[in-house]
Amino acid sequence: MARRRVVRTAAALTAGACAGLLGACSGDDAEAPTGFPTGAEVVMSTSTCTVLSRGNSVADDGTEVVTEEFECVPVASDPRVTGTESMTFVTTFAPGEGDLAGLCTGESTLTTDEGSWRGTALCVVDAVGVLPQAEGERPFNDAEMTYVGEGAYEGLEYRYIAAGTNGRLAYAGWIYEAE
């Protein structure tokens, strides 16, 4: 039940963003607001992930750093971003907050049948599932990914917002021509 709600939450956020930012997500004559690329194509996706490795260290001041490697399999509304994602995330928990939330950064490669994408991430990890959409899921992740296309996708960028657990995520994003 919690997974279904995660997908509905991401879909609801995306639907609101589409209506407000992309003129109901139509590619017609709607003018994209500043900051949103003209001609952006909306992409919806779900992804199943496997944790490949996890390690952590604690500094003298109590800061905890967790490094994790994942392999994810996104199934997207656009075949250009359906494939295999190899991701590495580094999450930093401030002293005394290791059981609450952490900030993370990441690097990723998304490989498809036609080409690949290289990306970076900024994210927040809700370690105890206190956010309303988390419903006690632990950990619950919110991330923004930015990818640059390579090979067949050179000249394109792909951005998405992800929400979900380490095992299953919902993505809402867009593909556009790089400037």
Side-chain angles (χ1 to χ4, degrees):
M1 178 139 187
R3 287 186 182 162
R4 224 176 297 135
R5 183 161 307 227
V6 168
V7 173
R8 279 198 314 263
T9 300
L13 289 171
T14 302
C18 287
L21 297 176
L22 288 178
C25 293
S26 67
D28 301 337
D29 294 340
E31 186 175 319
T34 303
F36 230 102
T38 302
E41 299 175 51
V42 173
V43 177
M44 302 299 290
S45 181
T46 59
S47 187
T48 305
C49 300
T50 303
V51 178
L52 301 177
S53 69
R54 178 179 286 130
N56 72 319
S57 62
V58 178
D60 289 339
D61 69 355
T63 300
E64 182 178 4
V65 177
V66 178
T67 303
E68 298 172 295
E69 291 184 36
F70 295 87
E71 181 175 276
C72 298
V73 181
V75 177
S77 60
D78 190 313
R80 295 176 293 179
V81 291
T82 295
T84 302
E85 278 179 300
S86 298
M87 308 171 123
T88 301
F89 291 99
V90 177
T91 306
T92 303
F93 295 95
E97 295 184 18
D99 59 344
L100 296 176
L103 298 175
C104 67
T105 58
E107 293 184 356
S108 180
T109 302
L110 170 58
T111 305
T112 71
D113 290 339
E114 300 295 321
S116 61
W117 305 83
R118 292 208 184 274
T120 58
L122 292 175
C123 41
V124 174
V125 175
D126 174 359
V128 295
V130 296
L131 295 173
Q133 67 268 32
E135 289 190 0
E137 295 285 336
R138 294 164 60 168
F140 191 85
N141 309 293
D142 291 290
E144 179 180 357
M145 298 290 296
T146 303
Y147 280 98
V148 174
E150 297 180 342
Y153 308 128
E154 190 168 332
L156 295 177
E157 291 188 19
Y158 171 44
R159 294 185 76 158
Y160 68 76
I161 305 298
T165 66
N166 281 355
R168 187 140 172 87
L169 296 159
Y171 299 173
W174 56 97
I175 296 174
Y176 56 97
E177 288 189 34
E179 294 182 13

